mmCIF file of all heavy atoms in Angstrom:
data_model
loop_
_atom_site.group_PDB
_atom_site.id
_atom_site.type_symbol
_atom_site.label_atom_id
_atom_site.label_comp_id
_atom_site.label_asym_id
_atom_site.label_seq_id
_atom_site.Cartn_x
_atom_site.Cartn_y
_atom_site.Cartn_z
ATOM 1 N N LYS A 186 -9.837 9.755 2.366
ATOM 2 C CA LYS A 186 -11.022 9.608 3.203
ATOM 3 C C LYS A 186 -10.717 8.540 4.281
ATOM 4 O O LYS A 186 -9.885 7.665 4.180
ATOM 5 C CB LYS A 186 -12.197 9.141 2.311
ATOM 6 C CG LYS A 186 -12.735 10.187 1.339
ATOM 7 C CD LYS A 186 -13.979 9.707 0.698
ATOM 8 C CE LYS A 186 -14.580 10.827 -0.172
ATOM 9 N NZ LYS A 186 -15.815 10.391 -0.907
ATOM 10 N N ASP A 187 -11.476 8.721 5.428
ATOM 11 C CA ASP A 187 -11.386 7.816 6.515
ATOM 12 C C ASP A 187 -12.104 6.497 6.201
ATOM 13 O O ASP A 187 -13.242 6.463 5.764
ATOM 14 C CB ASP A 187 -12.081 8.352 7.816
ATOM 15 C CG ASP A 187 -11.813 7.577 8.999
ATOM 16 O OD1 ASP A 187 -12.481 6.564 9.160
ATOM 17 O OD2 ASP A 187 -10.963 7.843 9.842
ATOM 18 N N TRP A 188 -11.340 5.430 6.225
ATOM 19 C CA TRP A 188 -11.806 4.115 5.775
ATOM 20 C C TRP A 188 -13.062 3.711 6.596
ATOM 21 O O TRP A 188 -14.094 3.249 6.015
ATOM 22 C CB TRP A 188 -10.685 3.072 5.942
ATOM 23 C CG TRP A 188 -11.104 1.682 5.674
ATOM 24 C CD1 TRP A 188 -11.255 0.695 6.607
ATOM 25 C CD2 TRP A 188 -11.376 1.016 4.414
ATOM 26 N NE1 TRP A 188 -11.594 -0.488 6.016
ATOM 27 C CE2 TRP A 188 -11.760 -0.362 4.732
ATOM 28 C CE3 TRP A 188 -11.369 1.517 3.169
ATOM 29 C CZ2 TRP A 188 -12.045 -1.187 3.652
ATOM 30 C CZ3 TRP A 188 -11.735 0.616 2.130
ATOM 31 C CH2 TRP A 188 -12.065 -0.745 2.394
ATOM 32 N N VAL A 189 -12.997 3.782 7.932
ATOM 33 C CA VAL A 189 -14.053 3.323 8.708
ATOM 34 C C VAL A 189 -15.284 4.147 8.573
ATOM 35 O O VAL A 189 -16.421 3.703 8.434
ATOM 36 C CB VAL A 189 -13.656 3.241 10.227
ATOM 37 C CG1 VAL A 189 -14.843 2.855 11.057
ATOM 38 C CG2 VAL A 189 -12.494 2.275 10.425
ATOM 39 N N ASP A 190 -15.159 5.489 8.574
ATOM 40 C CA ASP A 190 -16.304 6.383 8.514
ATOM 41 C C ASP A 190 -17.044 6.328 7.214
ATOM 42 O O ASP A 190 -18.261 6.568 7.151
ATOM 43 C CB ASP A 190 -15.853 7.858 8.811
ATOM 44 C CG ASP A 190 -15.440 8.009 10.252
ATOM 45 O OD1 ASP A 190 -15.711 7.189 11.077
ATOM 46 O OD2 ASP A 190 -14.720 8.976 10.589
ATOM 47 N N HIS A 191 -16.345 6.024 6.124
ATOM 48 C CA HIS A 191 -16.898 6.197 4.764
ATOM 49 C C HIS A 191 -17.330 4.725 4.257
ATOM 50 O O HIS A 191 -18.369 4.689 3.458
ATOM 51 C CB HIS A 191 -16.025 6.757 3.787
ATOM 52 C CG HIS A 191 -15.888 8.224 3.961
ATOM 53 N ND1 HIS A 191 -15.102 8.835 4.866
ATOM 54 C CD2 HIS A 191 -16.529 9.252 3.310
ATOM 55 C CE1 HIS A 191 -15.247 10.200 4.843
ATOM 56 N NE2 HIS A 191 -16.100 10.467 3.905
ATOM 57 N N PHE A 192 -16.674 3.672 4.661
ATOM 58 C CA PHE A 192 -16.929 2.393 3.938
ATOM 59 C C PHE A 192 -17.203 1.175 4.934
ATOM 60 O O PHE A 192 -17.261 0.102 4.452
ATOM 61 C CB PHE A 192 -15.703 2.029 3.113
ATOM 62 C CG PHE A 192 -15.415 3.122 2.000
ATOM 63 C CD1 PHE A 192 -14.369 3.909 2.061
ATOM 64 C CD2 PHE A 192 -16.345 3.291 0.965
ATOM 65 C CE1 PHE A 192 -14.088 4.831 1.115
ATOM 66 C CE2 PHE A 192 -16.088 4.255 0.041
ATOM 67 C CZ PHE A 192 -15.013 5.057 0.111
ATOM 68 N N ILE A 193 -17.332 1.482 6.166
ATOM 69 C CA ILE A 193 -17.709 0.407 7.178
ATOM 70 C C ILE A 193 -19.166 0.666 7.627
ATOM 71 O O ILE A 193 -19.440 1.770 8.018
ATOM 72 C CB ILE A 193 -16.744 0.297 8.366
ATOM 73 C CG1 ILE A 193 -15.349 0.111 7.788
ATOM 74 C CG2 ILE A 193 -17.207 -0.767 9.243
ATOM 75 C CD1 ILE A 193 -15.169 -1.197 7.063
ATOM 76 N N PRO A 194 -20.149 -0.228 7.575
ATOM 77 C CA PRO A 194 -21.490 -0.064 8.114
ATOM 78 C C PRO A 194 -21.393 0.405 9.560
ATOM 79 O O PRO A 194 -20.545 0.054 10.315
ATOM 80 C CB PRO A 194 -22.140 -1.464 7.922
ATOM 81 C CG PRO A 194 -21.314 -2.118 6.905
ATOM 82 C CD PRO A 194 -19.955 -1.654 7.040
ATOM 83 N N ASP A 195 -22.484 1.198 9.902
ATOM 84 C CA ASP A 195 -22.451 1.794 11.364
ATOM 85 C C ASP A 195 -22.282 0.743 12.473
ATOM 86 O O ASP A 195 -21.528 0.958 13.440
ATOM 87 C CB ASP A 195 -23.813 2.537 11.610
ATOM 88 C CG ASP A 195 -23.869 3.799 10.645
ATOM 89 O OD1 ASP A 195 -22.834 4.156 10.104
ATOM 90 O OD2 ASP A 195 -25.058 4.280 10.482
ATOM 91 N N ASN A 196 -23.001 -0.377 12.287
ATOM 92 C CA ASN A 196 -22.997 -1.393 13.404
ATOM 93 C C ASN A 196 -21.730 -2.138 13.487
ATOM 94 O O ASN A 196 -21.577 -2.976 14.394
ATOM 95 C CB ASN A 196 -24.181 -2.279 13.293
ATOM 96 C CG ASN A 196 -24.233 -2.939 11.933
ATOM 97 O OD1 ASN A 196 -23.863 -2.368 10.942
ATOM 98 N ND2 ASN A 196 -24.883 -4.146 11.820
ATOM 99 N N TYR A 197 -20.748 -1.960 12.575
ATOM 100 C CA TYR A 197 -19.496 -2.771 12.589
ATOM 101 C C TYR A 197 -18.279 -1.751 12.927
ATOM 102 O O TYR A 197 -17.211 -2.238 13.064
ATOM 103 C CB TYR A 197 -19.149 -3.417 11.231
ATOM 104 C CG TYR A 197 -20.176 -4.578 11.063
ATOM 105 C CD1 TYR A 197 -21.204 -4.400 10.135
ATOM 106 C CD2 TYR A 197 -20.058 -5.830 11.704
ATOM 107 C CE1 TYR A 197 -22.151 -5.460 9.886
ATOM 108 C CE2 TYR A 197 -20.976 -6.806 11.439
ATOM 109 C CZ TYR A 197 -21.983 -6.609 10.565
ATOM 110 O OH TYR A 197 -22.953 -7.599 10.371
ATOM 111 N N ARG A 198 -18.586 -0.448 12.922
ATOM 112 C CA ARG A 198 -17.471 0.519 12.988
ATOM 113 C C ARG A 198 -16.597 0.362 14.281
ATOM 114 O O ARG A 198 -15.359 0.434 14.295
ATOM 115 C CB ARG A 198 -17.939 1.945 12.815
ATOM 116 C CG ARG A 198 -18.365 2.256 11.487
ATOM 117 C CD ARG A 198 -18.964 3.645 11.299
ATOM 118 N NE ARG A 198 -19.452 3.862 9.919
ATOM 119 C CZ ARG A 198 -20.136 4.936 9.559
ATOM 120 N NH1 ARG A 198 -20.316 5.845 10.392
ATOM 121 N NH2 ARG A 198 -20.495 5.039 8.334
ATOM 122 N N SER A 199 -17.275 0.261 15.418
ATOM 123 C CA SER A 199 -16.577 0.116 16.671
ATOM 124 C C SER A 199 -15.609 -1.030 16.707
ATOM 125 O O SER A 199 -14.447 -0.977 17.087
ATOM 126 C CB SER A 199 -17.519 0.010 17.893
ATOM 127 O OG SER A 199 -18.367 1.082 17.947
ATOM 128 N N GLU A 200 -16.141 -2.231 16.229
ATOM 129 C CA GLU A 200 -15.276 -3.429 16.113
ATOM 130 C C GLU A 200 -14.063 -3.276 15.229
ATOM 131 O O GLU A 200 -12.973 -3.584 15.605
ATOM 132 C CB GLU A 200 -16.135 -4.551 15.728
ATOM 133 C CG GLU A 200 -15.368 -5.910 15.525
ATOM 134 C CD GLU A 200 -16.142 -7.027 14.930
ATOM 135 O OE1 GLU A 200 -17.397 -6.913 14.981
ATOM 136 O OE2 GLU A 200 -15.558 -7.939 14.479
ATOM 137 N N VAL A 201 -14.312 -2.659 14.084
ATOM 138 C CA VAL A 201 -13.212 -2.493 13.083
ATOM 139 C C VAL A 201 -12.095 -1.498 13.674
ATOM 140 O O VAL A 201 -10.947 -1.702 13.411
ATOM 141 C CB VAL A 201 -13.748 -2.039 11.750
ATOM 142 C CG1 VAL A 201 -12.604 -1.697 10.786
ATOM 143 C CG2 VAL A 201 -14.609 -3.088 11.160
ATOM 144 N N LYS A 202 -12.634 -0.410 14.334
ATOM 145 C CA LYS A 202 -11.641 0.497 14.905
ATOM 146 C C LYS A 202 -10.825 -0.197 16.026
ATOM 147 O O LYS A 202 -9.632 0.077 16.082
ATOM 148 C CB LYS A 202 -12.452 1.659 15.537
ATOM 149 C CG LYS A 202 -13.042 2.645 14.568
ATOM 150 C CD LYS A 202 -13.739 3.769 15.195
ATOM 151 C CE LYS A 202 -14.254 4.782 14.175
ATOM 152 N NZ LYS A 202 -14.913 5.966 14.759
ATOM 153 N N VAL A 203 -11.332 -1.084 16.725
ATOM 154 C CA VAL A 203 -10.611 -1.781 17.835
ATOM 155 C C VAL A 203 -9.535 -2.624 17.031
ATOM 156 O O VAL A 203 -8.321 -2.689 17.525
ATOM 157 C CB VAL A 203 -11.565 -2.709 18.599
ATOM 158 C CG1 VAL A 203 -10.702 -3.640 19.504
ATOM 159 C CG2 VAL A 203 -12.399 -1.808 19.504
ATOM 160 N N VAL A 204 -9.929 -3.303 16.031
ATOM 161 C CA VAL A 204 -8.954 -4.221 15.231
ATOM 162 C C VAL A 204 -7.833 -3.327 14.673
ATOM 163 O O VAL A 204 -6.642 -3.624 14.736
ATOM 164 C CB VAL A 204 -9.672 -5.005 14.201
ATOM 165 C CG1 VAL A 204 -8.721 -5.695 13.299
ATOM 166 C CG2 VAL A 204 -10.697 -5.976 14.806
ATOM 167 N N PHE A 205 -8.224 -2.164 14.100
ATOM 168 C CA PHE A 205 -7.203 -1.322 13.432
ATOM 169 C C PHE A 205 -6.224 -0.743 14.492
ATOM 170 O O PHE A 205 -4.977 -0.669 14.247
ATOM 171 C CB PHE A 205 -7.872 -0.137 12.690
ATOM 172 C CG PHE A 205 -6.919 0.725 11.946
ATOM 173 C CD1 PHE A 205 -6.324 0.220 10.814
ATOM 174 C CD2 PHE A 205 -6.538 1.944 12.410
ATOM 175 C CE1 PHE A 205 -5.465 0.995 10.050
ATOM 176 C CE2 PHE A 205 -5.682 2.767 11.605
ATOM 177 C CZ PHE A 205 -5.136 2.236 10.572
ATOM 178 N N ARG A 206 -6.728 -0.390 15.637
ATOM 179 C CA ARG A 206 -5.825 0.115 16.692
ATOM 180 C C ARG A 206 -4.822 -0.950 17.171
ATOM 181 O O ARG A 206 -3.733 -0.714 17.474
ATOM 182 C CB ARG A 206 -6.655 0.633 17.915
ATOM 183 C CG ARG A 206 -7.306 1.982 17.609
ATOM 184 C CD ARG A 206 -7.775 2.616 18.946
ATOM 185 N NE ARG A 206 -8.737 1.867 19.734
ATOM 186 C CZ ARG A 206 -10.040 2.017 19.425
ATOM 187 N NH1 ARG A 206 -10.503 2.939 18.599
ATOM 188 N NH2 ARG A 206 -10.877 1.269 20.121
ATOM 189 N N ALA A 207 -5.377 -2.182 17.242
ATOM 190 C CA ALA A 207 -4.520 -3.313 17.667
ATOM 191 C C ALA A 207 -3.378 -3.496 16.592
ATOM 192 O O ALA A 207 -2.220 -3.747 16.928
ATOM 193 C CB ALA A 207 -5.324 -4.586 17.781
ATOM 194 N N LEU A 208 -3.710 -3.418 15.341
ATOM 195 C CA LEU A 208 -2.706 -3.465 14.257
ATOM 196 C C LEU A 208 -1.693 -2.342 14.439
ATOM 197 O O LEU A 208 -0.501 -2.603 14.287
ATOM 198 C CB LEU A 208 -3.383 -3.325 12.891
ATOM 199 C CG LEU A 208 -4.095 -4.582 12.394
ATOM 200 C CD1 LEU A 208 -4.896 -4.272 11.143
ATOM 201 C CD2 LEU A 208 -3.118 -5.682 12.001
#
Side-chain angles (χ1 to χ4, degrees):
K186 290 185 176 180
D187 188 281
W188 173 253
V189 175
D190 291 343
H191 285 82
F192 300 110
I193 301 298
D195 293 344
N196 53 331
Y197 294 102
R198 288 179 183 173
S199 297
E200 176 185 341
V201 174
K202 285 181 178 179
V203 170
V204 173
F205 184 74
R206 283 197 299 269
L208 283 168

